[in-house]
Every structure is written in C-alpha cells, then in structure tokens.
C-alpha cells in the first residue's frame, strides 16, 4: 500500500485507536486541504476489515453546505464562513468590506510564493465576517450533522 508521506499522522492515529480497541472511528475535518485524508482512511480500512473508518468534512457536509449557501453563496477560504466568534483573535477587527473573488484558474498554476503574493491575506474572496447569530445557526446545523455521522451509517 502506497500512501503519501504527509498522511503518517493520520495512520498513526488510526493504528493507535485500533490498538486501544476502537472498532469505529470518525475523522472529522474542518479544512478543505484535508480532503486527501478521506482516500487514506478508505485505503487503510481496506487492510483492516475489523475497523470501520468514516471521514466527515463538517463544513461541506450536505446540510451544513446548504445552510452556508443559504446565508451567503460566496464563502470560500479565509472568509466569513471560517469566522466564528470563538475563532477570532481578541482585539483584531475584521474588514467590513468584501474582497473580490480570486481567479481559481490562475491560482492553480502559481507556485507557493506567487500564491501568497496574489492572495495577500489568504482570503479567496467574499465578506470577512457575518453576524454572530448567522454563524451560530451554521454551527448548530454542522454539529447536528456531525453527530448524525457519528451515530449512524455503521455496518
């Protein structure tokens, strides 16, 4: 089995949980860059039929994604969609404007240095913050959907 080197931590976690007797594991992700972990978990599971592993990306799960788009369809990386009251830095105010959407085609051909220069603050576009009640409404949907993934769908 060939698995990319950067996934060693996930493999160690799965091996450790299995050694402790866990037979069901849900890997909950809150970052789009973790998407390859889904394939790693599936590949690892193939060699461990006694363990069930699920990968759940809470922010783009169906109901949560629907709620996000309902509030504002422009919510990409480092925008309002990642700006919950508990993730903000004390004393740092978010800009009250909207950053234009980035050019994804252009971004995909840039090296790391150019990406940093192009993005500046890391945001892919959109508003930087939305009202707390809206963010809490998203969180409630996300928690319920994650809980459902934990409780259901096991063989």
């Amino acid at each position: 089995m060939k698995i990319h080197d950067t996934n060693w931590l996930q493999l160690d976690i799965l091996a450790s949980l299995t050694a402790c007797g866990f037979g069901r594991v849900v890997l909950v992700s809150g970052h789009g860059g973790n998407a390859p972990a889904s394939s790693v978990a599936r590949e690892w599971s193939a060699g461990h039929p006694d363990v069930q592993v699920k990968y759940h990306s809470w922010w783009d799960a169906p109901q949560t994604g629907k709620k996000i788009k309902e509030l504002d369809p422009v919510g990409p990386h480092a925008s309002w969609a990642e700006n919950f009251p508990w993730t903000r830095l004390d004393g740092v105010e978010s800009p009250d404007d909207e950053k234009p959407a980035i050019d994804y085609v252009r971004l995909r051909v840039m090296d790391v240095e150019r990406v940093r220069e192009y993005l500046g603050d890391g945001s892919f576009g959109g508003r930087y913050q939305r009202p707390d009640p809206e963010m809490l409404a998203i969180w409630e949907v996300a928690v319920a959907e994650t809980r459902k993934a934990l409780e259901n769908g096991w063989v």
Side-chain angles (χ1 to χ4, degrees):
M1 169 170 38
K2 182 179 177 185
I3 296 179
H4 195 273
D5 292 337
T6 59
N7 295 309
W8 65 268
L9 180 59
Q10 179 185 346
L11 296 173
D12 280 355
I13 291 169
L14 290 171
S16 178
L17 290 171
T18 302
C20 290
F22 287 89
R24 299 186 305 187
V25 178
V26 177
L27 301 170
V28 179
S29 174
H31 179 61
N34 293 339
S38 175
S39 297
V40 173
R42 204 171 21 260
E43 208 173 314
W44 184 89
S45 294
H48 299 82
D50 53 328
V51 181
Q52 295 178 60
V53 180
K54 292 185 198 178
Y55 178 85
H56 178 74
S57 183
W58 74 264
W59 60 274
D60 71 348
Q63 296 304 309
T64 305
K66 179 180 174 187
K67 185 67 175 177
I68 289 170
K69 294 218 183 318
E70 180 182 296
L71 293 173
D72 188 339
V74 183
H77 186 270
S79 72
W80 69 269
E82 296 182 357
N83 192 341
F84 289 92
W86 52 89
T87 60
R88 298 181 194 136
L89 298 174
D90 288 337
V92 177
E93 292 295 319
S94 293
D96 193 32
D97 57 349
E98 187 169 339
K99 183 177 180 179
I102 63 161
D103 180 344
Y104 285 93
V105 174
R106 184 175 167 204
L107 182 75
R108 288 186 184 104
V109 298
M110 293 180 184
D111 64 22
V112 174
E113 295 296 323
R114 287 188 181 165
V115 168
R116 285 188 185 126
E117 182 181 319
Y118 178 57
L119 293 178
D121 60 8
S123 172
F124 283 19
R127 298 202 61 77
Y128 287 90
Q129 187 170 320
R130 295 199 59 82
D132 288 352
E134 291 180 6
M135 299 308 293
L136 295 173
I138 292 169
W139 190 250
E140 287 176 9
V141 172
V143 168
E145 196 164 23
T146 301
R147 182 172 285 132
K148 191 174 180 180
L150 288 165
E151 295 171 348
N152 301 308
W154 301 104
V155 182

Tab-separated table of all heavy atoms in Angstrom, residues 44-85:
chain	number	residue	atom	x	y	z
A	44	TRP	N	-6.644	2.644	4.135
A	44	TRP	CA	-6.242	2.000	5.387
A	44	TRP	C	-7.297	0.984	5.816
A	44	TRP	O	-6.972	-0.123	6.240
A	44	TRP	CB	-6.037	3.065	6.473
A	44	TRP	CG	-5.524	2.515	7.757
A	44	TRP	CD1	-4.219	2.345	8.120
A	44	TRP	CD2	-6.300	2.058	8.870
A	44	TRP	NE1	-4.140	1.815	9.377
A	44	TRP	CE2	-5.407	1.628	9.863
A	44	TRP	CE3	-7.669	1.966	9.118
A	44	TRP	CZ2	-5.833	1.116	11.085
A	44	TRP	CZ3	-8.094	1.457	10.323
A	44	TRP	CH2	-7.178	1.043	11.300
A	45	SER	N	-8.568	1.355	5.692
A	45	SER	CA	-9.666	0.473	6.094
A	45	SER	C	-9.667	-0.831	5.309
A	45	SER	O	-10.035	-1.878	5.847
A	45	SER	CB	-11.011	1.170	5.887
A	45	SER	OG	-11.133	2.266	6.740
A	46	ALA	N	-9.255	-0.769	4.055
A	46	ALA	CA	-9.230	-1.975	3.227
A	46	ALA	C	-8.308	-3.037	3.823
A	46	ALA	O	-8.567	-4.234	3.681
A	46	ALA	CB	-8.780	-1.631	1.808
A	47	GLY	N	-7.274	-2.613	4.498
A	47	GLY	CA	-6.346	-3.550	5.129
A	47	GLY	C	-6.690	-3.883	6.569
A	47	GLY	O	-5.976	-4.640	7.228
A	48	HIS	N	-7.767	-3.307	7.079
A	48	HIS	CA	-8.186	-3.532	8.470
A	48	HIS	C	-9.701	-3.758	8.506
A	48	HIS	O	-10.458	-2.883	8.955
A	48	HIS	CB	-7.798	-2.332	9.338
A	48	HIS	CG	-6.340	-2.078	9.373
A	48	HIS	ND1	-5.679	-1.380	8.386
A	48	HIS	CD2	-5.392	-2.466	10.265
A	48	HIS	CE1	-4.398	-1.328	8.673
A	48	HIS	NE2	-4.192	-1.986	9.804
A	49	PRO	N	-10.158	-4.910	8.045
A	49	PRO	CA	-11.603	-5.146	7.944
A	49	PRO	C	-12.333	-5.165	9.288
A	49	PRO	O	-13.557	-5.052	9.323
A	49	PRO	CB	-11.688	-6.513	7.255
A	49	PRO	CG	-10.359	-7.142	7.472
A	49	PRO	CD	-9.362	-6.038	7.603
A	50	ASP	N	-11.581	-5.256	10.379
A	50	ASP	CA	-12.202	-5.273	11.702
A	50	ASP	C	-12.468	-3.865	12.247
A	50	ASP	O	-13.038	-3.705	13.322
A	50	ASP	CB	-11.315	-6.041	12.684
A	50	ASP	CG	-9.885	-5.518	12.699
A	50	ASP	OD1	-9.403	-5.058	11.641
A	50	ASP	OD2	-9.241	-5.575	13.767
A	51	VAL	N	-12.071	-2.840	11.494
A	51	VAL	CA	-12.255	-1.454	11.929
A	51	VAL	C	-13.030	-0.694	10.857
A	51	VAL	O	-12.735	-0.799	9.677
A	51	VAL	CB	-10.890	-0.756	12.152
A	51	VAL	CG1	-11.095	0.673	12.634
A	51	VAL	CG2	-10.034	-1.529	13.132
A	52	GLN	N	-14.028	0.075	11.294
A	52	GLN	CA	-14.784	0.914	10.374
A	52	GLN	C	-14.315	2.359	10.551
A	52	GLN	O	-14.252	2.863	11.672
A	52	GLN	CB	-16.273	0.827	10.678
A	52	GLN	CG	-16.856	-0.555	10.436
A	52	GLN	CD	-18.316	-0.570	10.812
A	52	GLN	OE1	-19.120	0.180	10.263
A	52	GLN	NE2	-18.661	-1.422	11.759
A	53	VAL	N	-13.969	3.000	9.445
A	53	VAL	CA	-13.488	4.378	9.488
A	53	VAL	C	-14.325	5.224	8.529
A	53	VAL	O	-14.538	4.854	7.386
A	53	VAL	CB	-11.996	4.477	9.089
A	53	VAL	CG1	-11.520	5.921	9.139
A	53	VAL	CG2	-11.135	3.600	9.995
A	54	LYS	N	-14.794	6.361	9.044
A	54	LYS	CA	-15.517	7.328	8.224
A	54	LYS	C	-14.734	8.635	8.224
A	54	LYS	O	-14.090	8.976	9.213
A	54	LYS	CB	-16.888	7.651	8.822
A	54	LYS	CG	-17.899	6.567	8.805
A	54	LYS	CD	-19.191	7.178	9.333
A	54	LYS	CE	-20.189	6.187	9.793
A	54	LYS	NZ	-21.385	6.850	10.325
A	55	TYR	N	-14.831	9.338	7.141
A	55	TYR	CA	-14.261	10.683	7.039
A	55	TYR	C	-15.437	11.641	6.886
A	55	TYR	O	-16.279	11.465	6.007
A	55	TYR	CB	-13.336	10.774	5.829
A	55	TYR	CG	-12.748	12.149	5.618
A	55	TYR	CD1	-11.603	12.550	6.291
A	55	TYR	CD2	-13.352	13.050	4.745
A	55	TYR	CE1	-11.067	13.812	6.099
A	55	TYR	CE2	-12.828	14.314	4.551
A	55	TYR	CZ	-11.686	14.693	5.227
A	55	TYR	OH	-11.159	15.944	5.034
A	56	HIS	N	-15.505	12.652	7.745
A	56	HIS	CA	-16.608	13.610	7.705
A	56	HIS	C	-16.040	15.019	7.659
A	56	HIS	O	-15.374	15.465	8.586
A	56	HIS	CB	-17.496	13.445	8.946
A	56	HIS	CG	-18.624	14.427	9.010
A	56	HIS	ND1	-19.734	14.343	8.204
A	56	HIS	CD2	-18.799	15.527	9.784
A	56	HIS	CE1	-20.559	15.343	8.489
A	56	HIS	NE2	-20.008	16.076	9.434
A	57	SER	N	-16.282	15.692	6.573
A	57	SER	CA	-15.866	17.084	6.421
A	57	SER	C	-17.067	17.940	6.801
A	57	SER	O	-17.989	18.127	6.005
A	57	SER	CB	-15.432	17.333	4.976
A	57	SER	OG	-14.976	18.637	4.831
A	58	TRP	N	-17.071	18.445	8.022
A	58	TRP	CA	-18.265	19.096	8.550
A	58	TRP	C	-18.690	20.316	7.744
A	58	TRP	O	-19.870	20.565	7.559
A	58	TRP	CB	-18.093	19.455	10.028
A	58	TRP	CG	-17.191	20.618	10.294
A	58	TRP	CD1	-15.866	20.572	10.625
A	58	TRP	CD2	-17.539	22.000	10.249
A	58	TRP	NE1	-15.371	21.834	10.781
A	58	TRP	CE2	-16.381	22.735	10.556
A	58	TRP	CE3	-18.711	22.701	9.971
A	58	TRP	CZ2	-16.356	24.124	10.599
A	58	TRP	CZ3	-18.688	24.086	10.015
A	58	TRP	CH2	-17.521	24.773	10.330
A	59	TRP	N	-17.763	21.092	7.254
A	59	TRP	CA	-18.100	22.363	6.605
A	59	TRP	C	-18.714	22.184	5.217
A	59	TRP	O	-19.358	23.091	4.715
A	59	TRP	CB	-16.877	23.272	6.537
A	59	TRP	CG	-15.753	22.655	5.755
A	59	TRP	CD1	-14.798	21.800	6.232
A	59	TRP	CD2	-15.501	22.789	4.377
A	59	TRP	NE1	-13.953	21.404	5.227
A	59	TRP	CE2	-14.365	22.007	4.064
A	59	TRP	CE3	-16.110	23.504	3.346
A	59	TRP	CZ2	-13.855	21.915	2.784
A	59	TRP	CZ3	-15.585	23.408	2.075
A	59	TRP	CH2	-14.459	22.622	1.806
A	60	ASP	N	-18.478	21.029	4.580
A	60	ASP	CA	-19.117	20.837	3.281
A	60	ASP	C	-20.031	19.619	3.260
A	60	ASP	O	-20.379	19.105	2.208
A	60	ASP	CB	-18.102	20.809	2.134
A	60	ASP	CG	-17.238	19.568	2.111
A	60	ASP	OD1	-17.240	18.806	3.092
A	60	ASP	OD2	-16.554	19.354	1.096
A	61	ALA	N	-20.456	19.190	4.446
A	61	ALA	CA	-21.484	18.155	4.528
A	61	ALA	C	-22.780	18.746	3.957
A	61	ALA	O	-22.962	19.971	3.957
A	61	ALA	CB	-21.660	17.708	5.977
A	62	PRO	N	-23.673	17.921	3.433
A	62	PRO	CA	-24.845	18.426	2.693
A	62	PRO	C	-25.672	19.507	3.395
A	62	PRO	O	-25.918	20.565	2.813
A	62	PRO	CB	-25.678	17.171	2.438
A	62	PRO	CG	-24.693	16.059	2.455
A	62	PRO	CD	-23.633	16.451	3.446
A	63	GLN	N	-26.111	19.266	4.615
A	63	GLN	CA	-26.975	20.236	5.292
A	63	GLN	C	-26.216	21.502	5.691
A	63	GLN	O	-26.747	22.610	5.611
A	63	GLN	CB	-27.649	19.602	6.516
A	63	GLN	CG	-28.596	18.478	6.168
A	63	GLN	CD	-29.664	18.922	5.190
A	63	GLN	OE1	-30.343	19.922	5.381
A	63	GLN	NE2	-29.817	18.175	4.107
A	64	THR	N	-24.979	21.330	6.123
A	64	THR	CA	-24.168	22.487	6.501
A	64	THR	C	-23.856	23.331	5.274
A	64	THR	O	-23.980	24.560	5.306
A	64	THR	CB	-22.874	22.036	7.199
A	64	THR	OG1	-23.226	21.203	8.313
A	64	THR	CG2	-22.059	23.216	7.681
A	65	GLY	N	-23.458	22.675	4.185
A	65	GLY	CA	-23.194	23.399	2.941
A	65	GLY	C	-24.414	24.161	2.464
A	65	GLY	O	-24.315	25.297	1.988
A	66	LYS	N	-25.576	23.542	2.595
A	66	LYS	CA	-26.832	24.193	2.202
A	66	LYS	C	-27.074	25.443	3.055
A	66	LYS	O	-27.463	26.497	2.536
A	66	LYS	CB	-27.989	23.208	2.356
A	66	LYS	CG	-29.339	23.757	1.997
A	66	LYS	CD	-30.420	22.707	2.173
A	66	LYS	CE	-31.797	23.303	1.953
A	66	LYS	NZ	-32.854	22.353	2.275
A	67	LYS	N	-26.838	25.335	4.356
A	67	LYS	CA	-27.044	26.463	5.264
A	67	LYS	C	-26.083	27.605	4.935
A	67	LYS	O	-26.469	28.780	4.927
A	67	LYS	CB	-26.862	26.018	6.719
A	67	LYS	CG	-27.160	27.086	7.734
A	67	LYS	CD	-28.624	27.449	7.725
A	67	LYS	CE	-28.975	28.423	8.814
A	67	LYS	NZ	-30.379	28.827	8.753
A	68	ILE	N	-24.831	27.262	4.649
A	68	ILE	CA	-23.839	28.278	4.294
A	68	ILE	C	-24.280	29.023	3.037
A	68	ILE	O	-24.290	30.246	2.994
A	68	ILE	CB	-22.450	27.636	4.119
A	68	ILE	CG1	-21.898	27.207	5.486
A	68	ILE	CG2	-21.484	28.581	3.410
A	68	ILE	CD1	-20.650	26.353	5.420
A	69	LYS	N	-24.670	28.271	2.011
A	69	LYS	CA	-25.075	28.888	0.736
A	69	LYS	C	-26.363	29.702	0.886
A	69	LYS	O	-26.556	30.701	0.203
A	69	LYS	CB	-25.232	27.818	-0.329
A	69	LYS	CG	-23.906	27.159	-0.667
A	69	LYS	CD	-23.790	26.864	-2.116
A	69	LYS	CE	-22.530	26.151	-2.503
A	69	LYS	NZ	-21.316	26.566	-1.900
A	70	GLU	N	-27.223	29.267	1.805
A	70	GLU	CA	-28.465	29.988	2.076
A	70	GLU	C	-28.168	31.384	2.635
A	70	GLU	O	-28.846	32.355	2.301
A	70	GLU	CB	-29.253	29.157	3.098
A	70	GLU	CG	-30.561	29.660	3.545
A	70	GLU	CD	-31.143	28.709	4.599
A	70	GLU	OE1	-31.429	27.542	4.255
A	70	GLU	OE2	-31.275	29.136	5.761
A	71	LEU	N	-27.155	31.482	3.487
A	71	LEU	CA	-26.809	32.763	4.092
A	71	LEU	C	-26.007	33.653	3.149
A	71	LEU	O	-26.182	34.867	3.126
A	71	LEU	CB	-26.017	32.541	5.384
A	71	LEU	CG	-26.810	31.899	6.515
A	71	LEU	CD1	-25.901	31.562	7.675
A	71	LEU	CD2	-27.929	32.830	6.972
A	72	ASP	N	-25.101	33.033	2.411
A	72	ASP	CA	-24.243	33.802	1.508
A	72	ASP	C	-23.525	32.819	0.593
A	72	ASP	O	-22.706	32.031	1.064
A	72	ASP	CB	-23.233	34.606	2.320
A	72	ASP	CG	-22.429	35.589	1.485
A	72	ASP	OD1	-22.334	35.418	0.252
A	72	ASP	OD2	-21.889	36.536	2.076
A	73	PRO	N	-23.817	32.837	-0.701
A	73	PRO	CA	-23.197	31.866	-1.603
A	73	PRO	C	-21.693	32.076	-1.807
A	73	PRO	O	-21.015	31.211	-2.333
A	73	PRO	CB	-23.963	32.041	-2.920
A	73	PRO	CG	-24.544	33.403	-2.844
A	73	PRO	CD	-24.763	33.698	-1.395
A	74	VAL	N	-21.180	33.239	-1.388
A	74	VAL	CA	-19.750	33.494	-1.532
A	74	VAL	C	-19.097	33.329	-0.159
A	74	VAL	O	-19.068	34.247	0.645
A	74	VAL	CB	-19.482	34.914	-2.096
A	74	VAL	CG1	-17.995	35.131	-2.302
A	74	VAL	CG2	-20.250	35.120	-3.386
A	75	GLY	N	-18.596	32.116	0.105
A	75	GLY	CA	-17.987	31.858	1.404
A	75	GLY	C	-16.780	30.953	1.297
A	75	GLY	O	-16.742	29.902	1.910
A	76	PRO	N	-15.780	31.339	0.505
A	76	PRO	CA	-14.621	30.461	0.341
A	76	PRO	C	-13.588	30.604	1.462
A	76	PRO	O	-13.871	31.184	2.507
A	76	PRO	CB	-14.055	30.923	-0.998
A	76	PRO	CG	-14.393	32.371	-1.067
A	76	PRO	CD	-15.707	32.511	-0.343
A	77	HIS	N	-12.424	30.130	1.198
A	77	HIS	CA	-11.305	30.083	2.136
A	77	HIS	C	-11.010	31.440	2.793
A	77	HIS	O	-10.943	32.462	2.127
A	77	HIS	CB	-10.067	29.605	1.375
A	77	HIS	CG	-8.886	29.365	2.238
A	77	HIS	ND1	-7.965	30.345	2.506
A	77	HIS	CD2	-8.472	28.261	2.887
A	77	HIS	CE1	-7.033	29.859	3.284
A	77	HIS	NE2	-7.315	28.590	3.531
A	78	ALA	N	-10.839	31.414	4.114
A	78	ALA	CA	-10.451	32.592	4.908
A	78	ALA	C	-11.442	33.750	4.779
A	78	ALA	O	-11.069	34.913	4.798
A	78	ALA	CB	-9.031	33.043	4.550
A	79	SER	N	-12.706	33.400	4.662
A	79	SER	CA	-13.742	34.426	4.582
A	79	SER	C	-14.662	34.291	5.793
A	79	SER	O	-14.344	33.618	6.757
A	79	SER	CB	-14.549	34.257	3.287
A	79	SER	OG	-15.374	33.109	3.383
A	80	TRP	N	-15.830	34.882	5.690
A	80	TRP	CA	-16.811	34.839	6.770
A	80	TRP	C	-17.155	33.411	7.184
A	80	TRP	O	-17.450	33.156	8.350
A	80	TRP	CB	-18.078	35.577	6.348
A	80	TRP	CG	-18.849	34.883	5.266
A	80	TRP	CD1	-18.709	35.069	3.918
A	80	TRP	CD2	-19.833	33.866	5.432
A	80	TRP	NE1	-19.556	34.238	3.234
A	80	TRP	CE2	-20.263	33.473	4.148
A	80	TRP	CE3	-20.400	33.238	6.534
A	80	TRP	CZ2	-21.215	32.499	3.939
A	80	TRP	CZ3	-21.353	32.270	6.327
A	80	TRP	CH2	-21.758	31.908	5.041
A	81	ALA	N	-17.117	32.467	6.246
A	81	ALA	CA	-17.514	31.086	6.538
A	81	ALA	C	-16.565	30.400	7.522
A	81	ALA	O	-16.888	29.346	8.055
A	81	ALA	CB	-17.621	30.276	5.245
A	82	GLU	N	-15.420	31.000	7.758
A	82	GLU	CA	-14.464	30.454	8.725
A	82	GLU	C	-14.287	31.391	9.913
A	82	GLU	O	-13.354	31.232	10.697
A	82	GLU	CB	-13.108	30.221	8.045
A	82	GLU	CG	-13.166	29.187	6.954
A	82	GLU	CD	-11.820	28.930	6.307
A	82	GLU	OE1	-10.826	29.597	6.661
A	82	GLU	OE2	-11.759	28.054	5.436
A	83	ASN	N	-15.180	32.343	10.056
A	83	ASN	CA	-15.020	33.374	11.076
A	83	ASN	C	-16.096	33.244	12.150
A	83	ASN	O	-17.049	34.012	12.199
A	83	ASN	CB	-15.060	34.756	10.411
A	83	ASN	CG	-14.610	35.850	11.328
A	83	ASN	OD1	-14.584	35.696	12.536
A	83	ASN	ND2	-14.268	36.979	10.750
A	84	PHE	N	-15.924	32.238	13.003
A	84	PHE	CA	-16.852	32.027	14.120
A	84	PHE	C	-16.409	32.871	15.308
A	84	PHE	O	-15.226	33.213	15.423
A	84	PHE	CB	-16.876	30.541	14.505
A	84	PHE	CG	-17.552	29.683	13.472
A	84	PHE	CD1	-16.819	29.085	12.460
A	84	PHE	CD2	-18.922	29.479	13.506
A	84	PHE	CE1	-17.443	28.303	11.499
A	84	PHE	CE2	-19.556	28.709	12.547
A	84	PHE	CZ	-18.816	28.113	11.548
A	85	PRO	N	-17.318	33.200	16.209
A	85	PRO	CA	-16.939	34.030	17.358
A	85	PRO	C	-15.737	33.465	18.131
A	85	PRO	O	-14.909	34.223	18.616
A	85	PRO	CB	-18.198	34.041	18.230
A	85	PRO	CG	-19.322	33.814	17.271
A	85	PRO	CD	-18.758	32.900	16.206
